[in-house]
Amino acid sequence: MYGQTEHCIDSKMALTRLACILVLLSTHCYFNVLAVILRTTNDAPWANEFESIELSCLIESISTNDPRIEWKKIKDGEPSYVYFEKKISGDLEGRARIREPATLVITNATRSDSASYRCEVTAPIDQKTFDEILINLVVRVKPVVPKCAVPKSVPVGKAAELRCVEDEGFPKSQYQWFRNKEEIPDDPKTSPKFFNSSYTLNAETGTLKFSAVRKDDSGEYFCRAKNDAGHSECGPQMMEVYNINIAGIILGVLVVVVVLLCMTVGICCAYKRGYFVSQKQTGNNYKAPAKGDGVDYVRTEDEGDFRHKSSFVI
C-alpha cells in the first residue's frame, strides 16, 4: 500500500513539471509572436553607378497586419525620408520601389546615393512595437580619363616629373604608369628593364619622378586611373631624353663673345674719329662783329638775328 502511494506522488510531480514546461514554452512563443523583429541579408552592399541595388529589410516576426514601414537616408549626419506613407520620396523619387514586405530597391543608383539607410518598422499591436536596421550603401563610380602631363624632352642626367590626376572616380583612384605599353613597377629593382632607372612612383597621387633620366628612359608614357568600378587611361605621350652637346655650347659662347668684342672695338674707333661728335653751334660760340660803323648791334633771342639800335656818333 505504501509503495502504491509513493508511485502516485511521483506521477503527480512528473505531471506538474510537464505542465510547468508547457507553460514556459507557451509564454516564450507568446512573446516571440508579439515582437517585431527585422534582419537584413547584407548591411554593407555596393553597386556600380547606374546599376540597380537592393537594400534588404526582412520581417522575421510580427503580429500587426499592417505595420508602418519607413526608410530614411542619412548623409553627413542629416536624416531625410526616402519612403514615407507608402510612397517613394526625396532623392529616390522615380527610381526606386518597395519589394514586399520592406526591401528597398534602387533601380538606377548614382554617386549621390552613397549613404546610410535605415529601415524602420512600427507594429502597434505587438508587445515590442518597433525595430530598425541600418544599412551602409556604397555606389562605386568608374574613373574618367585622367589628365596626364609628360615633358617632351629632357637632357640626360636631369630630373623629370610626370603627373596624372583624376577626380571623378569613387572610391579614390589608384594610378599606374606605362612606358611603351609596359607597366612601370613601383620598385625599379624588381624588373630587369627598369633596374637602372632612378625614379619613385606614387600610386596615390599619380606622380612619377625621375631623379636623373637616362637615354633608356625615352619612350611613350601613359597613365591608368583605376578603382573597384573600372579604369580609364590617357593617351600616350612621347618623352625624349637627349645628350647635352658641351662642345657646341662652348663654341656658341665663344662666337657671342667675339661678336660683342668686335662691336665694342668698332664703337671706340668711331668715337675717336669724331663720328659721334655734335656739330651744332651754341650762342656762346658766336663772335660779335666789330663796332666800327657807329651802329650798336643787339642780338635777339633767336641766334643770328640782329637789329639796329639807334645810336649815332656826330
Side-chain angles (χ1 to χ4, degrees):
M1 185 70 180
Y2 177 77
Q4 292 179 351
T5 303
E6 185 178 359
H7 178 71
C8 290
I9 293 173
D10 291 340
S11 298
K12 288 181 179 180
M13 290 180 64
L15 290 173
T16 302
R17 290 174 182 173
L18 180 60
C20 290
I21 292 172
L22 291 174
V23 169
L24 289 173
L25 288 174
S26 63
T27 303
H28 180 70
C29 293
Y30 175 77
F31 283 116
N32 277 346
V33 170
L34 296 184
V36 55
I37 299 175
L38 306 179
R39 71 176 180 89
T40 181
T41 57
N42 188 358
D43 61 359
W46 59 266
N48 292 332
E49 193 173 29
F50 309 125
E51 294 180 351
S52 62
I53 183 68
E54 291 185 359
L55 309 185
S56 68
C57 183
L58 307 177
I59 302 176
E60 285 198 321
S61 67
I62 196 170
S63 296
T64 303
N65 291 329
D66 189 19
R68 188 176 73 216
I69 300 172
E70 296 174 350
W71 276 92
K72 293 177 182 176
K73 176 182 179 180
I74 305 169
K75 193 161 189 175
D76 299 327
E78 295 294 329
S80 60
Y81 282 104
V82 292
Y83 182 72
F84 182 69
E85 294 184 347
K86 299 183 178 181
K87 292 181 180 180
I88 299 293
S89 60
D91 295 342
L92 300 183
E93 187 173 0
R95 56 189 185 89
R97 57 184 174 84
I98 290 293
R99 193 182 69 191
E100 295 295 339
T103 294
L104 179 65
V105 181
I106 302 175
T107 56
N108 185 21
T110 66
R111 64 190 69 190
S112 63
D113 294 333
S114 292
S116 297
Y117 292 82
R118 189 166 62 216
C119 175
E120 301 176 356
V121 176
T122 303
I125 297 178
D126 291 51
Q127 183 169 346
K128 180 190 172 187
T129 60
F130 179 81
D131 199 9
E132 64 181 20
I133 285 181
L134 189 66
I135 299 174
N136 297 309
L137 172 64
V138 173
V139 178
R140 306 186 306 192
V141 181
K142 179 183 176 181
V144 298
V145 175
K147 297 178 181 178
C148 302
V150 178
K152 292 183 178 180
S153 59
V154 185
V156 170
K158 296 297 182 179
E161 181 176 337
L162 288 69
R163 296 185 299 275
C164 180
V165 64
E166 186 278 327
D167 296 324
E168 297 295 325
F170 186 83
K172 190 176 183 297
S173 294
Q174 298 287 303
Y175 299 96
Q176 296 172 292
W177 275 99
F178 295 80
R179 186 185 73 191
N180 299 329
K181 299 182 180 180
E182 185 171 356
E183 183 179 355
I184 299 174
D186 294 339
D187 184 0
K189 305 304 180 185
T190 60
S191 172
K193 290 187 177 181
F194 299 92
F195 188 83
N196 294 322
S197 295
S198 57
Y199 66 80
T200 56
L201 175 60
N202 192 325
E204 299 289 335
T205 61
T207 57
L208 175 62
K209 295 182 179 181
F210 291 89
S211 57
V213 295
R214 301 165 55 253
K215 287 291 290 182
D216 292 341
D217 294 324
S218 294
E220 286 189 334
Y221 288 81
F222 70 90
C223 170
R224 173 182 294 168
K226 65 175 184 176
N227 63 13
D228 294 335
H231 69 270
S232 293
E233 301 171 354
C234 64
Q237 301 179 40
M238 185 67 187
M239 183 178 79
E240 179 187 0
V241 179
Y242 62 91
N243 290 315
I244 300 176
N245 189 350
I246 303 297
I249 294 175
I250 295 175
L251 181 61
V253 171
L254 290 175
V255 169
V256 172
V257 170
V258 170
V259 171
L260 291 176
L261 184 60
C262 292
M263 291 176 62
T264 303
V265 172
I267 292 172
C268 291
C269 292
Y271 267 109
K272 288 181 179 180
R273 295 182 180 183
Y275 289 110
F276 295 99
V277 177
S278 175
Q279 301 297 322
K280 292 183 178 180
Q281 283 188 335
T282 63
N284 295 330
N285 295 329
Y286 184 81
K287 294 182 180 180
K291 300 178 182 179
D293 54 0
V295 180
D296 292 337
Y297 291 90
V298 178
R299 191 181 68 177
T300 63
E301 294 180 357
D302 296 331
E303 185 179 352
D305 184 14
F306 290 85
R307 63 182 175 84
H308 287 87
K309 181 178 180 182
S310 179
S311 177
F312 297 94
V313 179
I314 299 175

